[in-house]
Amino acid sequence: MRGMGNMQNMMKQMQKMQKKMAEAQEELGEKQIEGSAGGGMVTVIVSGHKQVLDVKINEEVVDPEDIDMLQDLVLAATNEALKKADELTNSTMGQFTKGMNLPGMF
């Protein structure tokens, strides 16, 4: 019967971990991560869930003759913000999978 106690204890530990993971996921969604390009001429802010929340474009960079450059700056700022969001997610959620051999998890 000793194995049953260990199994129940393990299930309780898993439930606690699931609750903490859900809380961490919720906190990630509230985080705001900023990416910028062109020396701050274009700034993109995303949530920890990788939703674009805001795009700021300095009017000095808006040149009707060079839309390609503006598009490149927006793209670069967005990619930087998303990369930072991934890094934050990996560092936040990685704490739950340390020591576990779970391929494909975070």
Side-chain angles (χ1 to χ4, degrees):
M1 284 313 234
R2 195 175 174 154
M4 285 299 251
N6 285 342
M7 183 61 97
Q8 286 177 333
N9 190 32
M10 194 165 104
M11 292 300 287
K12 284 181 186 176
Q13 292 297 325
M14 289 297 288
Q15 287 172 339
K16 280 184 187 177
M17 189 172 84
Q18 283 178 327
K19 184 178 180 189
K20 287 182 180 180
M21 285 176 70
E23 289 169 358
Q25 278 283 9
E26 190 173 321
E27 287 176 20
L28 275 172
E30 295 169 6
K31 300 277 185 191
Q32 293 190 0
I33 301 103
E34 183 177 296
S36 65
M41 295 299 256
V42 174
T43 303
V44 174
I45 299 172
V46 299
S47 74
H49 289 163
K50 297 193 267 184
Q51 289 181 302
V52 176
L53 302 174
D54 197 10
V55 177
K56 298 175 185 171
I57 300 173
N58 187 316
E59 65 183 51
E60 293 172 33
V61 79
V62 180
D63 179 356
E65 301 296 315
D66 195 2
I67 296 299
D68 287 341
M69 181 185 73
L70 179 57
Q71 290 170 337
D72 289 345
L73 290 173
V74 171
L75 185 62
T78 302
N79 285 332
E80 179 185 325
L82 292 174
K83 180 179 177 218
K84 287 179 179 180
D86 279 340
E87 290 168 357
L88 179 63
T89 298
N90 288 337
S91 66
T92 300
M93 300 309 289
Q95 65 185 326
F96 297 107
T97 58
K98 279 183 185 149
M100 293 182 181
N101 189 7
L102 299 174
M105 293 291 289
F106 308 105

